Structure formats: C-alpha cells, structure tokens
Amino acid sequence: MLTLSVFVVLMASASVTSQTTVKDVDQKLVEELEARLTQLHDRMAKLSRYTMMQQFSAEERIRMEGDSGVNIIREDRTGMYNYYTTGHVGNSMVAIHDHSDTDRTIGQGELVAVMNGVSFSTQHNDYRLVMASTNSTDYHAVEDIPFPEVPKEVTDKLTVPDQITEMKQWFKAFSDQDYSVRDYRKYFKPVLCYLEGTWTLTDSFDQRFEPEANSWEELTNKVRYSAYTGTKFQSEKLAHLPTTMMSMNSTTGEPQYARWNYRTLCSPLKEDVALGDLRPVDELSYRVATGNSRVFISNDRRGRFVFFEKGVKSWSPIYTKFDRLFHTVPGMNNGPADLNQGSSHGNKVFSVANETDVLLNTGFYHRMFKAEKRGAMGLRRTFRGFNDPTLWVAETTQEEVAPMPLTSCKKVRVRIPNHRHRHVVKVCETEYSRFSYAFPLEILYMTPLLSWNPYNISVHEEGGVDPAAGARSGSLSNKAEAYDGVNNKHYYLTPAQFFSGTSDPADPMDSGTGSVGVLDQSGDLKVTAGSGTRVILPDIQGVGKVRLRYPIAPIHGEGNTAYKELNALKTKLWRENGLNYQ
Ligand SMILES: *[C@@H]1O[C@H](CO)[C@@H](O)[C@H](O)[C@H]1NC(C)=O
Ligand SMILES: *[C@@H]1O[C@H](CO)[C@@H](O)[C@H](O)[C@H]1NC(C)=O
Ligand SMILES: *[C@@H]1O[C@H](CO)[C@@H](O)[C@H](O)[C@H]1NC(C)=O
Ligand SMILES: *[C@@H]1O[C@H](CO)[C@@H](O)[C@H](O)[C@H]1NC(C)=O
C-alpha cells in the first residue's frame, strides 16, 4: 500500500517534457523512485527505533521508581483517608484465599505487578502446586510436586480416632517447631512459589492461562474496554500483557515484536525453613484503619512476612539463605538448565556463594553474580538490575523467549596480499541473550493432610467416577446425596473431627470451607473436610490455628526512596516506644 502511494506521487511530480524520450523518463522515474524508497525505508527504520526507545524509556522510568514486586490488588474497600483503601492488602494479603476442596489449587486473585520495569496485571491466578519439569527442557513443561508422606506412626494406628490423636501431635510439633520427639521436618515440606515473567515470541497462551479471549487482539481489546469504561469481566480471566518491539533487523529494518507472558510456579525447597525465619511485616495502613494489633494481623490472612536472617540486617551483597534457596529454582530451561551467560564482551560470570571463582549456573534464579573483572567502582560483586534487590533472573535458551541482541564491533588489521600496508576493517559480531525474571510470592508448607486418607476413601482419577454425579452435593446425612468417593476437584479426605473449629473467617473467593459427607468403599457416609492447602487451618484442639501460607512478596513501592524513609520511621517509632521488632 505504502509503496503504491509513493509511486502515484512520483508519477504526478515527475514532469514529463516533450523533448525527453520515453526511455529517459523511465530511467529518471526509476532512479527517483529508488531514492524515495531508500529515504522512506530509512525514515521507517528511524521511526521504529524511536518507538522502541519510547517503550524502553517508559520501562526505565518504572524500573527506577520501585522494585520488582506486587503493586496493587483490586479495590474492595474505601474510606475517608487513603490508608482505608486497598493497596496490596484487602481481604487478605495480595488476594490469597483457599480452595481446600481441590488437591493442588492455591487460591490467589488478580494483582498488578512490576517485573524489571514491566507493569502488567494478572488474571485471577489460582495457581497449582506444580514445579518446572525436573528432567525435560520442553517449553513450559511442569510436573506435580510430590506430596509429603504420612508419618508411619499415624498410619500404624488401627482406628481413625487414634490416627487423629497421633496426627494432632505432628501438627503440634510443627506449630511448636519442636522436632525432638516427632521430627516433623520429614513431613512438613516448604515450597517456594514465585511469579515468573518474560518477553515471548509465541502467539499462544499458556494452557493453564485460558483467558476469556481467543486471541491476543481480543484479549487486549477487552482489557482496554475494561480500563476505558471502568468495568470488570466477572470471570476475572483477563490480563494486561504488554507488547514491545524487541529489536530491529539491521538489514531489512523489520521490527521483532514480543509479548509479555507470566506464570506462577512452585518449587520444593531442599532445606527446611524454620517458621522463625519468617518475620511479620507491620502493615500499618491496614492496622491503623481497623485498629487491629500487630499480632492479630500476622495470624491473619493479611499478614506478610520477610525472610529473616540473623546477622544480615544491613543490605550489602551478602549471599543469604534465601539466595541459596532461590538458586535451586530453575529458569525456563527447567531442571536440566546448565548455562553460564558470558556477560558482555565474553567476561565470565561467577557465583557469589563461593570465595573462589566458580562459574555461576545462570540457568537458575539469582540476583547477583561476581564479575570476572573489577568494574569502574572497583567491585566484582554485582546485582542484577541497576537498583532492584527483588529482581531474580535466569538465563534460558528457549526459542519462544524473545532474544535480546548485542552487537559489538572491533577494528581488525588485515594484510591484503601484494600490499605493503595492513588495512583496518571493522568486524561486528552479534550475540543473543534470553532471560526470564521472577520474584517470590510465598513460602507454603505442604503437610501430610494432602495425602492422609484414614477412611480409605476411593480417590478417583480425572475422567473417572465423578464424585458429584447427579444430585450428589456432599450431603452430611443423605447417602444418596453424599459424594461418591473423591477426586482432585472434590478432595475431601480429612476427618472433620480432626478440626475443632470452623474455617478461617471466610473470604467470598474461598471454596471448600465446610464439612461434607463422602461415601467410603463400603458405602458408609463419613464426614470429612477439604484436604487441600489453606492459608490458615481451622482450629485443632490442643494445637490452635496453624498457618500454612506465608506471603513474602516484595511490594513495588518499597523500592521507592519515600517508602524506604517510611519504613525507617516505623522502626524508629517502635524503638522509641521500647519495641524491638526485627
Ligand atoms: C521425567 O520425570 C517424570 C516424573 O518424575 C517421569 O514420569 C518421567 O518418566 C521422566 N522422564 C524421563 C525421560 O526420564
Ligand atoms: C534480517 O533479515 C534478513 C533478510 O530477511 C535475514 O537473512 C537475516 O537473518 C535477518 N537477521 C536477523 C538477525 O534476524
Ligand atoms: C560453591 O558454593 C555452593 C553453595 O555454598 C556449594 O554448594 C558448592 O559446592 C561450592 N562450589 C565449589 C566448587 O566450591
Ligand atoms: C484401602 O483400599 C484399598 C483398595 O480397596 C485396599 O487395597 C487397601 O488394603 C485398603 N487399605 C487399608 C489400610 O484398609
């Protein structure tokens, strides 16, 4: 279209006089056309580059305004002062909630996040207890995280009441963090769940994403409509995923576009994380608005935690336990990842964990590295990002991830045969890097409840017997309406008597809060409760409430200099009031 219109303009402007021959005119036209096309090509390339730099400037601005982390969640309250309104805390911290009627679904609502300067919004997340494949490098290959076993001391008991009594002791040991008699650490396993994002070249959505749209265009249109009108699609299955111009082909000037894509994954930790490592953050805006105490909020869904490490109060490039834990999480090459990014100009990248120079496996998430050579400031320890302590990166070779080119040129002297002097020629090389980013969302503990089945209820495979077939709705008294066994979506194995209290103050987003009736293999009705992961378990007699999910998500605003002063002020006020919170 563009070429054609130029041609028409040229036809009109090339004045044809009677003296010139047709051939001359043709030649002149062709030359002029070529010149105009070159000019146009050049302008298009410059304009494309300008667009790319505009996007980069926008990203840089966000990148410098705060850290990678959660920004806000959907507003669900308001009030006279701004701290009455929702920030990252609403009904719960970053919209976490329960789906304990499922085996592996971890409830989490919509959120807006920033990751390495890219601001995006997620759909209603509800992610699953799955990890990056341990043995396949296929794009997005995942596998189920194995559930912990049930202690033999529990299954050895002959009656269900005796099993319940014994199981309570294990929860007490976990809650008290006392492994002297019952070593709960073998059965209560910490899992790190994280948000991962990157620029991709694919046109397809992640399978589990299933947005309320059939194409990217439809998705973007719906998101724009929603933003423009201020309305909401009730499915909450929309996400704002920006598009960017990643690079331009230097020969053709053709831009390469990329789309932002994210997912939430979990990774089982190989070391125990003591509950004392997770210290509550004082969320004053919520506390002041509701008049709740610090203790209240940390035993509530609104609690947020930081990974505390003794002796690491000041922020220097110290390799912490959390760095060690996160470096067990693979990037997008999955478990087999074994990469070592040669940072620019072939300099090697070493691990900060070792005193000696040990190559860093950049295929796993990390936030610092040791450079081969000292930088201009004389330092070898270097953070990823300019100033973003919560930015974790991992290298990948997945073709679906948009590559970032880096061209470096050097002048080389070459001898030309039969010439006395050497000639200087410029030799350019282009290398391509691919990276993904992540920040932690939470540490949750898997417990033996995930597989404990004292009534020996049949667990049907997906696609097998439907426990809720017909009128079956989990009736507590009518066998014809009780669930016929369980499956992953009706995952009720825990004897209801195990809990003495009711569920945590329910969130409208929750599912699986109450007890249900399930038929066992002999057709007897048993009253059971959801066995999936909950933020906080209902009361267990003699134990109390046990928290299983510890949100540790960084908050975008915390990277802002004003928020840093504010947090310092909070600590100063505590200290002046004789409180010494860590
Ligand atoms: C990879 O691991 C999964 C899960 O442990 C297993 O089912 C599968 O057979 C393994 N594949 C290969 C090629 O080793
Ligand atoms: C640029 O385009 C040319 C012509 O289509 C192609 O041969 C070349 O591989 C492209 N370069 C890159 C880096 O994609
Ligand atoms: C480097 O440090 C890590 C973490 O402490 C350790 O597992 C690894 O064995 C060390 N490597 C060498 C070669 O010392
Ligand atoms: C549970 O049921 C299965 C299948 O019917 C049976 O093989 C197994 O022995 C039962 N386990 C117990 C502890 O009763």
Side-chain angles (χ1 to χ4, degrees):
M1 276 308 278
L2 213 49
T3 336
L4 190 71
S5 59
V6 170
F7 190 72
V8 173
V9 172
L10 282 175
M11 289 293 276
S13 66
S15 52
V16 184
T17 59
S18 53
Q19 289 97 322
T20 49
T21 65
V22 173
K23 206 179 159 201
D24 283 344
V25 173
D26 275 359
Q27 183 60 26
K28 204 165 170 236
L29 249 177
V30 166
E31 275 168 20
E32 215 169 312
L33 190 61
E34 269 174 3
R36 292 289 278 267
L37 274 177
T38 309
Q39 197 183 39
L40 196 68
H41 176 275
D42 200 44
R43 284 186 190 159
M44 279 295 287
K46 280 189 178 135
L47 197 61
S48 301
R49 188 163 177 82
Y50 177 75
T51 313
M52 189 166 82
M53 294 316 290
Q54 280 287 304
Q55 163 84 20
F56 180 66
S57 288
E59 263 175 39
E60 276 290 277
R61 175 77 211 185
I62 302 169
R63 210 176 264 134
M64 299 312 155
E65 272 171 359
D67 293 342
S68 291
V70 173
N71 192 356
I72 43 168
I73 57 171
R74 191 178 277 279
E75 180 176 14
D76 61 1
R77 66 195 64 227
T78 187
M80 232 177 353
Y81 302 114
N82 66 350
Y83 53 82
Y84 280 87
T85 62
T86 314
H88 53 272
V89 196
N91 241 347
S92 66
M93 176 56 62
V94 298
I96 60 171
H97 56 272
D98 291 348
H99 290 300
S100 63
D101 53 340
T102 67
D103 62 343
R104 293 185 180 271
T105 303
I106 310 295
Q108 176 155 53
E110 304 163 289
L111 56 89
V112 177
V114 169
M115 203 176 261
N116 196 14
V118 181
S119 175
F120 63 104
S121 71
T122 73
Q123 64 172 17
H124 190 107
N125 285 295
D126 283 357
Y127 58 93
R128 289 173 57 71
L129 268 179
V130 295
M131 58 182 166
S133 171
T134 50
N135 55 12
S136 156
T137 53
D138 288 352
Y139 182 64
H140 276 185
V142 291
E143 60 190 70
D144 284 351
I145 299 178
F147 289 154
E149 284 172 13
V150 182
K152 198 169 173 304
E153 290 84 339
V154 173
T155 47
D156 274 355
K157 296 283 185 292
L158 297 177
T159 67
V160 173
D162 285 353
Q163 286 204 21
I164 291 175
T165 308
E166 179 62 24
M167 187 60 104
K168 282 182 182 171
Q169 293 308 312
W170 288 88
F171 274 82
K172 184 156 176 50
F174 170 69
S175 178
D176 296 348
Q177 295 280 285
D178 174 2
Y179 48 82
S180 58
V181 180
R182 289 178 178 82
D183 193 352
Y184 63 85
R185 295 172 301 180
K186 287 184 270 181
Y187 308 102
F188 290 72
K189 297 285 194 181
V191 172
L192 173 64
C193 299
Y194 57 98
L195 195 62
E196 179 184 72
T198 191
W199 293 108
T200 59
L201 300 174
T202 61
D203 272 354
S204 57
F205 302 114
D206 186 343
Q207 271 174 9
R208 284 172 299 117
F209 186 64
E210 294 169 354
E212 197 188 322
N214 295 310
S215 66
W216 281 88
E217 200 181 339
E218 190 183 339
L219 180 70
T220 3
N221 286 347
K222 283 186 169 169
V223 170
R224 288 185 65 233
Y225 173 83
S226 184
Y228 176 85
T229 57
T231 46
K232 172 189 173 190
F233 286 78
Q234 289 309 92
S235 68
E236 298 185 359
K237 276 177 169 277
L238 292 177
H240 168 230
L241 303 171
T243 299
T244 195
M245 195 184 283
M246 205 63 195
S247 57
M248 268 177 359
N249 185 313
S250 51
T251 322
T252 61
E254 194 175 331
Q256 178 160 65
Y257 297 101
R259 293 186 170 109
W260 184 259
N261 241 312
Y262 74 91
R263 59 179 179 161
T264 304
L265 274 189
C266 297
S267 186
L269 295 175
K270 291 167 186 76
E271 291 176 53
D272 183 43
V273 175
L275 295 182
D277 285 351
L278 301 159
R279 299 283 168 103
V281 175
D282 204 5
E283 298 286 353
L284 269 188
S285 59
Y286 178 77
R287 280 218 299 119
V288 171
T290 57
N292 282 316
S293 71
R294 184 181 152 88
V295 174
F296 173 87
I297 191 169
S298 47
N299 291 328
D300 180 84
R301 287 187 183 192
R302 295 167 189 92
R304 187 164 66 96
F305 299 80
V306 284
F307 206 95
F308 172 80
E309 201 160 346
K310 214 170 170 211
V312 190
K313 275 190 195 160
S314 61
W315 182 257
S316 53
I318 293 172
Y319 192 77
T320 63
K321 178 174 179 181
F322 195 55
D323 285 278
R324 195 167 71 229
L325 295 178
F326 220 141
H327 199 233
T328 64
V329 179
M332 298 183 80
N333 277 30
N334 304 333
D338 186 8
L339 298 163
N340 180 253
Q341 176 211 14
S343 80
S344 60
H345 313 301
N347 281 336
K348 292 195 185 75
V349 161
F350 298 113
S351 165
V352 177
N354 307 85
E355 282 304 317
T356 54
D357 286 350
V358 177
L359 283 181
L360 174 70
N361 186 347
T362 50
F364 282 71
Y365 282 106
H366 59 282
R367 56 177 168 178
M368 4 168 191
F369 62 86
K370 196 159 55 167
E372 190 173 4
K373 296 190 187 115
R374 288 189 192 281
M377 301 284 278
L379 299 176
R380 287 185 66 197
R381 285 183 173 215
T382 313
F383 285 103
R384 292 280 184 184
F386 184 75
N387 186 336
D388 192 351
T390 49
L391 171 70
W392 303 79
V393 311
E395 196 186 2
T396 177
T397 53
Q398 296 293 356
E399 294 284 315
E400 288 86 347
V401 174
M404 176 60 86
L406 175 70
T407 303
S408 24
C409 300
K410 54 184 175 200
K411 286 181 179 150
V412 187
R413 284 175 182 278
V414 290
R415 186 185 285 276
I416 310 251
N418 305 326
H419 263 260
R420 285 184 54 206
H421 299 291
R422 283 163 187 258
H423 281 241
V424 176
V425 292
K426 202 165 89 169
V427 179
C428 294
E429 260 180 285
T430 303
E431 45 183 296
Y432 296 90
S433 302
R434 292 176 166 89
F435 276 85
S436 63
Y437 313 100
F439 64 74
L441 283 175
E442 61 183 302
I443 286 186
L444 62 82
Y445 292 85
M446 297 192 301
T447 78
L449 290 188
L450 290 167
S451 43
W452 184 42
N453 185 2
Y455 292 126
N456 206 14
I457 292 167
S458 298
V459 182
H460 305 301
E461 295 289 314
E462 214 168 340
V465 176
D466 178 6
R472 296 191 175 279
S473 58
S475 164
L476 294 171
S477 50
N478 180 350
K479 282 188 183 181
E481 289 174 11
Y483 287 134
D484 180 8
V486 305
N487 67 4
N488 59 1
K489 293 194 180 72
H490 302 90
Y491 200 62
Y492 296 96
L493 294 172
T494 313
Q497 298 146 263
F498 179 70
F499 301 115
S500 54
T502 50
S503 216
D504 189 44
D507 186 306
M509 294 190 265
D510 284 347
S511 63
T513 48
S515 303
V516 298
V518 178
L519 301 184
D520 69 6
Q521 292 186 41
S522 346
D524 286 338
L525 189 150
K526 304 291 181 196
V527 178
T528 58
S531 308
T533 305
R534 306 183 199 225
V535 184
I536 296 167
L537 292 175
D539 235 7
I540 303 170
Q541 201 174 22
V543 183
K545 281 196 191 298
V546 178
R547 179 181 200 107
L548 297 181
R549 294 176 63 185
Y550 288 80
I552 52 166
I555 302 303
H556 171 60
E558 284 186 320
N560 184 299
T561 45
Y563 212 127
K564 291 181 188 187
E565 283 294 301
L566 186 71
N567 277 352
L569 184 66
K570 267 195 230 175
T571 307
K572 189 167 187 295
L573 283 176
W574 296 337
R575 288 191 187 149
E576 283 175 7
N577 285 291
L579 302 164
N580 194 19
Y581 298 143
Q582 294 282 11

